[in-house]
Amino acid sequence: MDTGKVIDVDVLSKYCTCKNKKNHETSCKSNFRGSSGMMEVKGACNIFKRSLTFHNARYTKYLGDGDFKAFEAIAKENIYEDEFQVEKLECIDHVMKRMGRDFED
């Protein structure tokens, strides 16, 4: 983020420090309920959904960590309707890991 190349981020947390768990304080840091795997899905969908509002842009490529859940959710949401289809890119490190080989520089 310090490079200026990051234009959007969505921070989700399940961690709650409130003393009374049933009546969360207004400053509670917890803003997500569900599995950790679904947290990535929710964050990715949030970023894609607000791309037009925040940046007047459409994200056409998705670079993920090899897990298809977030990409599948974005594709299913059909966020940009049929105007643009989001393409999934593969991180070379994750591809090499799944193939059982180490990737060295």
Side-chain angles (χ1 to χ4, degrees), residues 55-105:
H55 306 290
N56 195 28
R58 291 171 183 86
Y59 303 142
T60 59
K61 300 190 185 327
Y62 173 85
L63 178 61
D65 62 0
D67 181 0
F68 281 92
K69 290 178 193 167
F71 175 72
E72 287 174 347
I74 290 166
K76 183 178 178 181
E77 288 275 336
N78 198 18
I79 295 165
Y80 307 127
E81 298 173 355
D82 293 327
E83 189 175 356
F84 288 96
Q85 295 297 317
V86 178
E87 175 187 356
K88 184 176 189 318
L89 303 176
E90 287 288 339
C91 171
I92 190 66
D93 288 334
H94 287 90
V95 171
M96 297 304 273
K97 181 180 176 182
R98 285 196 308 267
M99 292 176 68
R101 289 187 254 153
D102 291 329
F103 180 74
E104 297 188 21
D105 297 11

Side-chain angles (χ1 to χ4, degrees), residues 11-70:
V11 178
L12 299 175
S13 175
K14 297 191 308 181
Y15 185 69
C16 175
T17 58
C18 298
K19 293 177 183 174
N20 184 345
K21 301 292 185 197
K22 293 185 180 189
N23 295 317
H24 290 283
E25 299 170 9
T26 56
S27 62
C28 182
K29 303 293 185 220
S30 175
N31 62 359
F32 181 81
R33 293 184 192 263
S35 70
S36 296
M38 290 309 293
M39 192 180 296
E40 180 182 357
V41 171
K42 176 75 171 165
C45 283
N46 287 347
I47 289 170
F48 272 76
K49 285 179 183 176
R50 64 183 178 223
S51 65
L52 282 168
T53 306
F54 279 21
H55 306 290
N56 195 28
R58 291 171 183 86
Y59 303 142
T60 59
K61 300 190 185 327
Y62 173 85
L63 178 61
D65 62 0
D67 181 0
F68 281 92
K69 290 178 193 167

